[in-house]
Amino acid sequence: SMVRKPSSFICSISNDRGPELTYSNVPISKVFEDDLGIGGVISLLWFRRRLPSYATKFLEMILQLTADHGPCVSGAMNTIITTRAGKDLISSLVSGLLTIGTRFGGALDGAAQEFSKAFDSGLSPRAFVDSCRKANKLIPGIGHRIKSRNNPDLRVELVKQYVKKHFPSTKLLDYALAVENVTTSKKDNLILNVDGCIAICFVDLLRNCGEFTLEEANEYIKLGILNGMFVLGRSIGLIGHHLDQKRLRAPLYRHPWDDFLYLS
Ligand code: ACO
Ligand code: LMR
């Protein structure tokens, strides 16, 4: 009789044992036959299912427009400084990635959770903003250092246009834009930022594309998939900055004294 050795690991996304590698049971040759693209591969490995092409195009759009935002943001600065200290590609990349969090680039999961919680409990946009202020909490996905109502973020405009055109429902996006109306009336830069806009549209997608139950949609949001999208996208730019500094043979960086106020 066969005695199966108890397994200590489980994997539910890919299989390399047969003659052909599979992603969620889709053979790798089929990935190319059906031209699934990187969005299709993400949908298989992260969501364990094929998604309609308007959805995989949305995933690809996110990767393309989060890929970089110039050299001055936290992540790129860290990568550049690390490269200039002589470190390798992986060290420079992770040094940049480690800055991604609630303030920079990693506000997606929080935005998805906070906005959907407020929406589901029927809070008006103003009541939501007031409740956050009372709790002394910043609203994740709101606010930007350089972008504002008068200097809009084109990335956000592109996402909104795409989603309005292709998604079956934009209920949460409409709610988030009403929240933005409240916050920008207080301060011009308190816009729905790129993290917030992507996250909210993602919730609209998961809930209304017909591929997930509401329970599954909420579970995926809790898993941290949304920050995963920013991390994956921005890795493209961070690797670019590492290569750029090496190509330019940039020397070790030391910050000028006069840019620090020394208190001792
Ligand atoms: N919700 C509510 N109020 C806010 C928010 C917010 N998200 N952000 C700023 N404010 C308020 C502050 O409380 C402050 O009010 P006060 O003047 O009454 O004290 C005022 O706006 C200015 O705050 P600052 O911290 O100076 O704003 P700054 O422009 O420096 O901050 C930042 C920009 C860091 C993005 C901030 O808005 C924030 O933390 N937002 C939430 C996190 C987030 O979404 N980050 C992702 C940004 S996009 C990206 O990184 C790709
Ligand atoms: C980014 O994409 O890195 C930003 O929106 C953050 C910034 O300050 O530009």
Side-chain angles (χ1 to χ4, degrees), residues 78-79 82-83 87-98 242:
N78 252 23
T79 288
T82 306
T83 305
K87 304 281 293 197
D88 59 288
L89 181 141
I90 295 175
S91 306
S92 304
L93 170 61
V94 297
S95 154
L97 290 177
L98 287 172
H242 170 73

Side-chain angles (χ1 to χ4, degrees), residues 68-78 80 104 241:
D68 200 39
H69 205 232
C72 297
V73 304
S74 300
M77 284 283 284
N78 252 23
I80 288 169
F104 165 68
H241 284 293

Side-chain angles (χ1 to χ4, degrees), residues 102-105 107 133 137-145 155 187 189-190 193-195 230 234:
T102 53
R103 292 183 184 165
F104 165 68
R133 205 224 280 279
K137 280 197 307 206
L138 297 180
I139 307 168
I142 291 286
H144 200 277
R145 266 292 160 89
R155 298 172 296 176
K187 209 165 169 260
N189 74 326
L190 295 183
N193 62 40
V194 68
D195 280 14
F230 188 94
R234 190 52 56 93

Side-chain angles (χ1 to χ4, degrees), residues 125-251:
R126 185 168 300 279
F128 172 45
V129 173
D130 289 345
S131 74
C132 292
R133 205 224 280 279
K134 255 188 221 119
N136 212 5
K137 280 197 307 206
L138 297 180
I139 307 168
I142 291 286
H144 200 277
R145 266 292 160 89
I146 59 169
K147 298 295 180 184
S148 63
R149 210 163 29 171
N150 284 314
N151 174 29
D153 189 334
L154 208 59
R155 298 172 296 176
V156 175
E157 300 308 311
L158 288 167
V159 172
K160 287 193 291 204
Q161 274 170 30
Y162 182 86
V163 163
K164 285 275 171 203
K165 185 154 175 219
H166 297 282
F167 280 19
S169 162
T170 59
K171 264 188 238 157
L172 199 64
L173 175 60
D174 298 337
Y175 180 74
L177 293 174
V179 171
E180 178 188 47
N181 268 336
V182 176
T183 53
T184 50
S185 70
K186 291 182 178 156
K187 209 165 169 260
D188 199 45
N189 74 326
L190 295 183
I191 53 163
L192 182 64
N193 62 40
V194 68
D195 280 14
C197 184
I198 290 170
I200 268 80
C201 293
F202 226 114
V203 177
D204 274 329
L205 177 70
L206 293 174
R207 285 184 170 185
N208 305 305
C209 70
E211 307 290 329
F212 304 90
T213 64
L214 183 60
E215 217 166 51
E216 282 176 321
N218 291 337
E219 190 195 348
Y220 276 115
I221 293 162
K222 280 199 208 109
L223 281 180
I225 278 192
L226 304 189
N227 282 352
M229 286 300 295
F230 188 94
V231 168
L232 182 59
R234 190 52 56 93
S235 293
I236 300 170
L238 295 177
I239 291 172
H241 284 293
H242 170 73
L243 299 174
D244 193 39
Q245 294 304 305
K246 282 189 73 173
R247 187 167 44 221
L248 295 168
R249 299 185 205 296

